[in-house]
Amino acid sequence: SAVISQKPSRDICQRGTSLTIQCQVDSQVTMMFWYRQQPGQSLTLIATANQGSEATYESGFVIDKFPISRPNLTFSTLTVSNMSPEDSSIYLCSVWRGAYEQYFGPGTRLTVT
Amino acid sequence: SQQGEEDPQALSIQEGENATMNCSYKTSINNLQWYRQNSGRGLVHLILIRSNEREKHSGRLRVTLDTSKKSSSLLITASRAADTASYFCATDASNNTGKLIFGQGTTLQVKP
């Protein structure tokens, strides 16, 4: 298994500011992902956090808005930049260890006012 | 983009009854997973069924997969109030890379 922690668990931010969310895993993993869950909606994959290289973004998500770092195999950050109320969501990191082992963090609930 | 549809979107039943949720998807899959989410909190992995499997059981959960129809169902038997949550199906976006595409979800309310 993998134990994932995220910081902060929740935050309320003003529009125009940025927030960096941290994801820490208790063991090394190759694949880490970031998902967004807008209010009342399902989860959408934002990007794959690649260790040592630029993240791979899904359609509709760009690096300028959601810069991602992955300095090592246990840690990643997602920044939500220049926030607007539409960015109010739960952001979840996920790790995949192959062989059908997938785990999710507890999520960061972001409210933008 | 979302992989597929789930129905019903919302389901309300009495404790002790069975709950059935359906999920359809669009592309070929490696596996299909079901997750539970309580009140917008983190996801709890319930069960995974591989593309070459047709049915799987785990406790009170039974999952079926019909790859010819690109659909899956989750049955929760003898439901409890604690089963009240949102349930999502998720499929591998491509060949087993861990990138999941989620269905829209079913909100289940179990009344005591």
Side-chain angles (χ1 to χ4, degrees):
Chain A
S1 67
V3 177
I4 304 172
S5 60
Q6 286 186 232
K7 290 182 181 179
S9 58
R10 58 176 62 223
D11 207 341
I12 301 173
C13 301
Q14 292 194 343
R15 73 169 66 211
T17 63
S18 298
L19 176 72
T20 296
I21 302 167
Q22 299 179 4
C23 177
Q24 179 74 54
V25 190
D26 68 340
S27 56
Q28 293 186 344
V29 292
T30 304
M31 305 294 287
M32 292 181 75
F33 306 97
W34 286 96
Y35 289 82
R36 179 178 73 180
Q37 185 178 27
Q38 295 177 300
Q41 303 296 315
S42 185
L43 283 80
T44 301
L45 179 63
I46 297 172
T48 303
N50 300 308
Q51 194 268 327
S53 64
E54 200 168 275
T56 305
Y57 290 84
E58 298 299 310
S59 176
F61 297 97
V62 294
I63 187 171
D64 290 347
K65 178 66 176 178
F66 298 102
I68 289 171
S69 78
R70 178 88 190 274
N72 56 52
L73 293 177
T74 62
F75 185 79
S76 178
T77 66
L78 168 74
T79 299
V80 186
S81 303
N82 188 24
M83 289 183 285
S84 66
E86 292 71 36
D87 294 320
S88 297
S89 299
I90 299 173
Y91 293 87
L92 301 99
C93 71
S94 169
V95 303
W96 184 70
R97 308 181 82 165
Y100 311 106
E101 290 189 65
Q102 191 119 24
Y103 306 95
F104 281 83
T108 295
R109 184 183 291 272
L110 170 62
T111 302
V112 183
T113 61
Chain B
S1 61
Q2 298 302 320
Q3 168 72 292
E5 306 293 324
E6 287 187 59
D7 76 271
Q9 289 189 336
L11 181 61
S12 181
I13 59 175
Q14 294 294 136
E15 211 165 25
E17 294 181 338
N18 295 341
T20 300
M21 289 159 263
N22 302 297
C23 166
S24 62
Y25 57 91
K26 298 175 182 175
T27 62
S28 297
I29 62 171
N30 180 275
N31 63 76
L32 185 144
Q33 305 175 40
W34 285 90
Y35 290 85
R36 184 183 73 220
Q37 184 179 44
N38 292 82
S39 301
R41 300 174 69 180
L43 290 177
V44 175
H45 183 267
L46 295 177
I47 196 166
L48 179 150
I49 186 165
R50 301 177 189 183
S51 59
N52 62 352
E53 297 176 313
R54 292 297 167 258
E55 187 171 311
K56 203 163 184 179
H57 297 252
S58 177
R60 294 185 295 112
L61 306 180
R62 182 173 80 99
V63 169
T64 62
L65 178 65
D66 188 334
T67 53
S68 66
K69 295 181 179 178
K70 291 186 168 57
S71 66
S72 174
S73 67
L74 171 67
L75 168 67
I76 304 174
T77 60
S79 63
R80 306 167 181 168
D83 295 328
T84 295
S86 292
Y87 292 82
F88 296 93
C89 67
T91 57
D92 238 330
S94 54
N95 191 18
N96 202 28
T97 62
K99 296 169 65 172
L100 297 180
I101 298 179
F102 284 80
Q104 296 297 323
T106 294
T107 300
L108 172 66
Q109 181 185 31
V110 181
K111 300 175 183 177

